Amino acid sequence: MAGDGIWRRAGCGVAGLIMLGGPVVGSQMWLSGTALAAQGPARTSSPFMDEASAGAGPSHSQPASEHRQSQANPHHGHPRPVSPHHQVRGRPAVPPPLQVQDHVKAGDPLLQGVPAGWGAHVLGVGAAQGGAPPQKTPPEAPSADHRAEHRDQSLHQFLQAEGREADAAKPGLAVPSQPAGNEPAVSAPSRNRILIPVPGQMGIAAYQSGDRFIILVDARQPMDVSALRGDGMFSRLGVTTLPDLTMISLPVPDTRQLYLSQQSDGWVLGDQPPPGMDYTDRPEITPRLRGDGLLFPMRRPGRVFSIKDPASGTSLVVGTTTLDDGGLLSLRKGRDYDVWPSMEGVVIAQHEPPQVVMRAIMQGDLLQRADDRPLADMDRAVYASDVDLNWLGLKHLAAPQAQERYRQALVAAADSSPGERFGKRLDAARAALGVGAFPDARAIMDVALEDDPEEAFRPDVRFFLAATDLLAGRMKGAAQLMQEWPEQAMRATKLWQGLYEAAAGGNDAEAARLLARDMPRLLNYPEPLRASLLPMAAELIARRGTPADRKALDFLPEGSEFRFIQAVRALRDGDEKKATSLLEALSVDHDPVIAEKAMEEGVALSLRDGHLPAEKAARQYASLLPDARLSGRDGIVNMLRAGADIRAHQWEAALQALDQARQAAPPHDEARMQALLSAALSGVVQGLPGPDGGGSQNEATLLHEAALLKAHMQDLPASAKKGNLLLAYGRLLGRLRLEEQAGNAMNTAIPMMTDPQDRAAAGDALAENEIRRGQLDKASATLADTGGASLPPQETARRTRLMASMAAASGKPEVALYLLGADQDPQAADIRAHIHENREEWSPAVADLRSMVMQLLPPQGDMTVSQQLLALRLASDASRAGDAGALEWIRNRVGNRPFEGDAGRMFRLLVSAQQAQ
């Protein structure tokens, strides 16, 4: 059929197809592919005229046997491949050969990706090069009278099937407008999508049946279908108008997926995902049990009506939606009705005789039995995805019923034959999951897979194992939830991926979004499963979710743990009065875990508002530790205590609290712990003397802080932040004259740094260390490896001074002096002074030392040891040079400030001896 349609369009004389040809085993092979839009008259595809018009066009109805098979398929509604041997009645399946010549030159974009030696000819565009244009064979088309006759017969049959009066007014077919003959369209339609202009007040439902994609529009007002014009697969789109209903039918020729999305001027149907949208992340309808039936929630439901499926003839009850609320993910077969998968809206397949009715209410569509009795299969009715229904095997049962299901499943597994033992054991594991026996469920699966290891490759088994690992706290195995799953199950796995992200930490915002979107589904889970998952999910949403996410918390159950979550939500919403009232009441709750958490939040609230100093908050957190250990929350409380210590600049106390948090029982919030550890270590570094901070600690204090840094640095992952901390640690070791250890720390730091200027500064520090150790070649290589053409002038000058230092150390003072030039930096002056002192050139040395004193020795204040030694050095060189003016200047500069040890006596002796002369 597909070949017939393509070749007949090729003869329409319209720019429609490319023919590609190449030699294959001595014969001529031709491939055809769509190049431009076929603008010939479009056939209107009506589901009610398939049987009557099968010989008049390429569309055909799906055989009844195929429909029965597709509805038994658990993936009902997904596209299926169309057999290439299937042909339209009365048409040859293989087109007659067309004699054409290639006229597309080599290098033309049309030949990109085509095997070497192949040619191409565009049918209907110009003439073949070197030959006459191909003959145009007009397509066969039935007459207008013939089409109208079949249309009337098909519509009459449909109205009879619906029980309507035979003389009811016959609706006409709305045919998309097409340009006549070979005239081009006014605007070129898209190959990948088509706009369906549905006003905002009209509801739609969309689903797939067999090889057709059906869109039903609740057209209570006239709908403009003149713009429904597409090409590619959308050229076969057909529109049928009925009283208060418009049906759009699209034959799907293969297994491609279709995408439906809403925009301001209607709905867009395409075979490519909407730009900027993750289609596996769209909304879905989650059923909810009510006392009077099964509710399919919608924000703004449309109309509910009955219709026969145009492909299978099944009686359907369809509920439309006016907003993009999604649909049902999977087929669910029940006793009285089936729920078909849908892309939008709700599609219910009636059993014969019809047993159920559905009506639109304010909250959505409500499904009930026609005789007001309870719906059958209510234990499965709320689960709308294969993941919940089949992979996890969830059932909505009371606790005694769930326990009885588990007992029977264990007995059946024990009595099973080898051929059915894995399935029975899997059923037993699913029943264990339903009663909250998560370790038992995992143990049953371990035994099952020992006997049947090949079953571990099934997607449902892999997902079940990962889910039970998450529930049992085995995060390594639970990480398998984050892998790619089959496309039809991808959307349903997002909830469990959000649960994993919530437990693992590090991506809280995305986890909160996923959990908030699927909160109705989580609320439907069996009580043991919900009790394990819901508090964690709800608290994460309250703490990390956006205001829109937090609306999902409106329907939480009663109980103190959920009142605590509402208190956290009130804090996030800025309602401190409500939060304070709830926390005060919960702080004396009979549940010690809830009471301790409420007191935590109370301390955090007082600290945030400034009513409690950070030091006192840290002490209050410490006082909560005994209760926190009983509830297994001591790790969290110690992290809160560490945060308060950091705010109070108590770095060592913060590190001790983090050490205790790491020793607590898992799980640990590694991302938060590393952030606190990085902040505490940065505080330690800020207190160091030298380039990384002020202060004048003694050697014992420096050794203690070096030990703190060494003990905790290994707990940080490699990063630019850790690189900077390692560099500061290396400089500290250099001050302690541990040059080799300092060099090792700096060598480790440099590869972690990504900023060029930071790498250059680290290279400078390492090069200085290597110069002090006499490793001049290594120092030169370090400068080369960490340099670059884009370094700022200050960094370039510093590197020049390092090269001068290496030249002086290697016995090349003239080179060093040349490199330094007139650089007045203290380091340059120091190098020059050393060179002049070695040559006993005291006057130039005095000039350089005086420049250093002016920059490094302030006129007032206590002097550090290095400043004292610099003053003594200048006095000594000035005395040797006989420079009375320099001695007078340094004596006045120092004044009466004290020196340590014998340095002061020597300084006074030098300046007073010159004064006596």
Side-chain angles (χ1 to χ4, degrees):
M1 179 188 71
D4 180 53
I6 290 175
W7 286 98
R8 290 180 64 248
R9 286 199 299 272
C12 292
V14 183
L17 296 175
I18 300 173
M19 294 183 58
L20 303 176
V24 178
V25 196
S27 64
Q28 189 74 10
M29 182 181 72
W30 294 98
L31 300 179
S32 61
T34 308
L36 299 172
Q39 300 292 346
R43 297 185 184 276
T44 302
S45 175
S46 169
F48 316 122
M49 48 187 296
D50 285 342
E51 286 295 322
S53 60
S59 299
H60 63 284
S61 62
Q62 184 184 18
S65 61
E66 289 188 28
H67 283 290
R68 286 192 295 271
Q69 181 180 1
S70 68
Q71 293 184 24
N73 190 332
H75 301 300
H76 171 84
H78 292 283
R80 298 181 318 190
V82 178
S83 171
H85 303 292
H86 192 81
Q87 57 181 343
V88 179
R89 187 165 58 236
R91 303 276 183 191
V94 179
L98 296 180
Q99 301 299 324
V100 297
Q101 293 182 349
D102 302 339
H103 76 283
V104 178
K105 301 291 187 181
D108 192 284
L110 291 175
L111 294 180
Q112 291 182 2
V114 176
W118 284 46
H121 180 81
V122 182
L123 298 183
V125 179
Q129 184 173 338
Q135 290 294 110
K136 301 178 181 179
T137 305
E140 299 177 11
S143 65
D145 293 338
H146 184 67
R147 289 197 304 271
E149 178 184 352
H150 281 294
R151 185 162 59 240
D152 293 343
Q153 291 174 359
S154 299
L155 185 57
H156 181 70
Q157 294 171 0
F158 169 74
L159 294 177
Q160 283 182 333
E162 287 295 290
R164 299 180 184 269
E165 295 296 331
D167 58 352
K170 295 183 176 62
L173 285 176
V175 182
S177 61
Q178 298 285 345
N182 293 337
E183 294 180 6
V186 176
S187 60
S190 169
R191 298 195 57 78
N192 304 120
R193 56 184 57 89
I194 186 171
L195 173 66
I196 302 172
V198 179
Q201 69 273 17
M202 292 186 186
I204 76 163
Y207 68 99
Q208 185 152 347
S209 180
D211 61 353
R212 293 193 180 190
F213 187 78
I214 308 296
I215 298 177
L216 302 173
V217 183
D218 176 15
R220 288 168 291 185
Q221 301 178 13
M223 175 183 169
D224 179 15
V225 297
S226 62
L228 286 177
R229 182 178 68 253
D231 61 357
M233 68 176 293
F234 299 107
S235 63
R236 303 175 63 193
L237 183 144
V239 181
T240 303
T241 57
L242 297 170
D244 296 337
L245 174 66
T246 299
M247 178 180 294
I248 300 171
S249 175
L250 176 66
V252 182
D254 46 38
T255 59
R256 78 185 69 185
Q257 182 177 354
L258 296 179
Y259 303 87
L260 188 65
S261 58
Q262 189 177 30
Q263 61 184 39
S264 59
D265 50 353
W267 295 76
V268 175
L269 177 65
D271 62 356
Q272 298 292 329
M277 175 183 178
D278 180 4
Y279 205 75
T280 64
D281 208 23
R282 66 192 305 262
E284 63 170 334
I285 294 177
T286 300
R288 190 165 70 234
L289 289 179
R290 292 184 12 152
D292 53 350
L294 183 65
L295 177 68
F296 298 93
M298 299 178 187
R299 290 173 291 172
R300 199 168 71 195
R303 200 159 54 91
V304 175
F305 49 81
S306 298
I307 193 172
K308 284 191 177 295
D309 176 48
S312 64
T314 303
S315 297
L316 303 178
V317 180
V318 179
T320 62
T321 176
T322 60
L323 299 176
D324 191 359
D325 287 321
L328 283 299
L329 297 181
S330 302
L331 170 70
R332 182 173 64 80
K333 300 183 73 66
R335 295 184 199 153
D336 299 330
Y337 65 97
D338 297 339
V339 180
W340 281 11
S342 58
M343 196 172 289
E344 289 290 342
V346 180
V347 180
I348 304 295
Q350 293 271 25
H351 289 187
E352 294 297 338
Q355 302 288 332
V356 296
V357 294
M358 188 165 65
R359 58 190 176 91
I361 61 176
M362 184 175 297
Q363 295 84 10
D365 290 345
L366 183 63
L367 183 70
Q368 300 169 301
R369 275 186 61 97
D371 56 8
D372 293 331
R373 290 191 299 164
L375 288 169
D377 303 318
M378 294 304 282
D379 59 332
R380 304 174 73 237
V382 294
Y383 304 119
S385 69
D386 280 340
V387 168
D388 292 344
L389 267 174
N390 302 321
W391 290 13
L392 297 178
L394 301 183
K395 288 196 173 184
H396 196 81
L397 300 173
Q401 294 173 311
Q403 289 290 346
E404 178 61 19
R405 175 199 178 199
Y406 184 28
R407 187 192 67 79
Q408 293 179 3
L410 287 175
V411 172
D415 294 341
S416 61
S417 63
E420 61 180 9
R421 66 186 176 191
F422 184 82
K424 295 297 184 181
R425 288 171 173 176
L426 180 57
D427 289 343
R430 289 167 173 164
L433 182 75
V435 298
F438 309 133
D440 292 351
R442 191 61 167 88
I444 293 171
M445 290 305 300
D446 289 341
V447 173
L449 291 173
E450 285 180 5
D451 293 335
D452 299 282
E454 70 280 358
E455 301 289 348
F457 296 98
R458 288 169 40 179
D460 59 333
V461 173
R462 288 188 289 113
F463 188 89
F464 185 85
L465 292 174
T468 53
D469 280 340
L470 176 65
L471 292 164
R474 299 162 61 173
M475 298 305 295
K476 184 176 180 180
Q480 297 301 312
L481 289 167
M482 302 306 295
Q483 65 180 263
E484 292 291 325
W485 297 100
E487 187 173 5
Q488 64 270 19
M490 187 70 72
R491 171 62 182 84
T493 62
K494 295 288 187 178
L495 170 62
W496 284 85
Q497 290 179 349
L499 290 168
Y500 172 79
E501 295 276 19
N507 195 10
D508 290 346
E510 176 64 9
R513 185 186 69 82
L514 294 174
L515 294 173
R517 187 191 56 190
D518 281 348
M519 179 59 71
R521 185 172 150 206
L522 193 55
L523 290 169
N524 281 340
Y525 275 8
E527 173 58 31
L529 196 57
R530 185 172 67 244
S532 176
L533 297 175
L534 184 58
M536 173 186 68
E539 185 169 347
L540 181 76
I541 295 170
R543 294 187 183 278
R544 305 287 183 238
T546 64
D549 294 337
R550 295 197 292 273
K551 291 181 179 179
L553 305 177
D554 291 342
F555 303 101
L556 290 180
E558 294 296 325
S560 58
E561 59 185 346
F562 297 111
R563 287 200 302 275
F564 171 76
I565 290 169
Q566 296 295 2
V568 175
R569 179 188 182 183
L571 283 175
R572 292 287 313 281
D573 291 340
D575 190 349
E576 292 191 7
K577 182 178 180 181
K578 178 181 178 181
T580 302
S581 174
L582 287 170
L583 292 174
E584 288 178 352
L586 291 169
S587 64
V588 293
D589 193 83
H590 67 279
D591 186 337
V593 176
I594 298 300
E596 188 273 325
K597 290 173 69 174
M599 287 188 283
E600 283 177 28
E601 290 297 327
V603 173
L605 178 59
S606 299
L607 178 61
R608 190 192 70 183
D609 291 345
H611 300 153
L612 191 66
E615 297 89 341
K616 190 173 181 180
R619 290 195 297 270
Q620 290 195 9
Y621 282 130
S623 70
L624 295 176
L625 283 173
D627 290 337
R629 288 192 185 97
L630 293 176
S631 60
R633 291 180 53 81
D634 51 323
I636 296 173
V637 174
N638 270 311
M639 283 196 289
L640 293 170
R641 173 186 159 203
D645 283 326
I646 289 171
R647 293 184 64 171
H649 293 183
Q650 300 296 319
W651 315 119
E652 187 171 355
L655 291 173
Q656 291 173 354
L658 289 173
D659 289 340
Q660 294 179 22
R662 196 171 292 279
Q663 294 168 6
H668 299 134
D669 189 345
E670 287 294 336
R672 186 180 177 193
M673 191 174 294
Q674 288 169 6
L676 290 170
L677 178 59
S678 178
L681 293 178
S682 297
V684 173
V685 167
Q686 289 171 6
L688 296 177
D692 299 292
S696 59
Q697 298 98 326
N698 56 36
E699 187 167 322
T701 302
L702 294 179
L703 281 170
H704 180 72
E705 293 184 343
L708 281 177
L709 291 171
K710 181 179 180 181
H712 295 91
M713 200 76 72
Q714 60 187 357
D715 294 330
L716 285 178
S719 64
K721 181 69 174 177
K722 182 175 181 178
N724 289 327
L725 290 172
L726 276 171
L727 177 60
Y729 173 61
R731 284 174 169 156
L732 175 58
L733 293 176
R735 286 184 57 84
L736 294 169
R737 296 177 296 281
L738 301 172
E739 298 292 357
E740 184 175 355
Q741 294 91 328
N744 292 337
M746 294 175 185
N747 257 319
T748 306
I750 290 175
M752 300 182 189
M753 297 180 173
T754 55
D755 183 82
Q757 295 188 28
D758 289 344
R759 282 179 57 86
D764 296 345
L766 178 57
E768 288 179 316
N769 173 272
E770 291 165 339
I771 291 170
R772 289 194 296 270
R773 289 190 284 159
Q775 299 175 349
L776 302 182
D777 291 340
K778 283 189 175 182
S780 179
T782 297
L783 292 176
D785 292 342
T786 57
S790 59
L791 295 179
Q794 300 90 335
E795 179 60 35
T796 302
R798 184 176 182 186
R799 295 192 154 226
T800 300
R801 291 191 286 272
L802 288 174
M803 289 188 286
S805 178
M806 286 189 286
S810 59
K812 300 175 183 178
E814 298 300 332
V815 174
L817 292 173
Y818 172 79
L819 290 171
L820 295 172
D823 189 352
Q824 295 303 309
D825 184 85
Q827 185 182 11
D830 183 44
I831 297 172
R832 283 196 302 266
H834 275 295
I835 293 174
H836 292 311
E837 288 168 346
N838 290 335
R839 294 176 172 181
E840 297 186 355
E841 298 171 350
W842 305 114
S843 294
V846 168
D848 287 319
L849 291 174
R850 183 166 180 170
S851 173
M852 291 177 63
V853 169
M854 294 178 66
Q855 297 180 67
L856 301 178
L857 179 59
Q860 297 177 349
D862 292 338
M863 295 186 297
T864 64
V865 173
S866 61
Q867 291 170 340
Q868 297 171 26
L869 294 177
L870 178 59
L872 181 59
R873 181 181 173 192
L874 174 56
S876 175
D877 285 6
S879 177
R880 293 184 181 188
D883 190 341
L887 288 170
E888 178 69 16
W889 182 84
I890 189 60
R891 184 177 66 83
N892 294 332
R893 184 82 171 186
V894 172
N896 295 323
R897 286 181 282 184
F899 285 73
E900 291 187 6
D902 293 336
R905 184 175 59 82
M906 292 177 62
F907 178 79
R908 304 299 175 193
L909 180 62
L910 287 171
V911 297
S912 61
Q914 181 64 33
Q915 187 177 17
Q917 293 178 3

